[in-house]
Amino acid sequence: MEINQKVRAQLSANVKVDLSVIPAALGFDVSKEYMVTETWSDKVPAGQTWNVVANPTYLSKQYDVYRDGKRTGDGTALKPIGVCFGVIKYKD
């Protein structure tokens, strides 16, 4: 199985944030999509059925928000960096 997909970065905060200053502070653009690519393979044993799921993995960065030199809130930014595969195995 191969995954090649664009995934949008995510941003959350408990106060309003000026998006123009976030990329410089975090090192990545939170308004951008990033390509994630991974491959996974395995052999399904006879008599089993597998359900394979793929979810993006993220680099998580915490940040503080300041206004006029005073901390007013905080938030989290997530940059897509890969894919995590999960397998649910069923015996027939």
Side-chain angles (χ1 to χ4, degrees), residues 17-58:
V17 177
D18 181 358
L19 292 179
S20 67
V21 299
I22 294 292
L26 296 176
F28 65 93
D29 189 341
V30 294
S31 64
K32 186 177 170 187
E33 290 182 328
Y34 293 87
M35 180 64 75
V36 293
T37 302
E38 290 287 341
T39 58
W40 178 82
S41 66
D42 206 341
K43 291 184 180 183
V44 179
Q48 288 189 5
T49 303
W50 290 8
N51 183 23
V52 179
V53 295
N55 292 300
T57 57
Y58 297 91

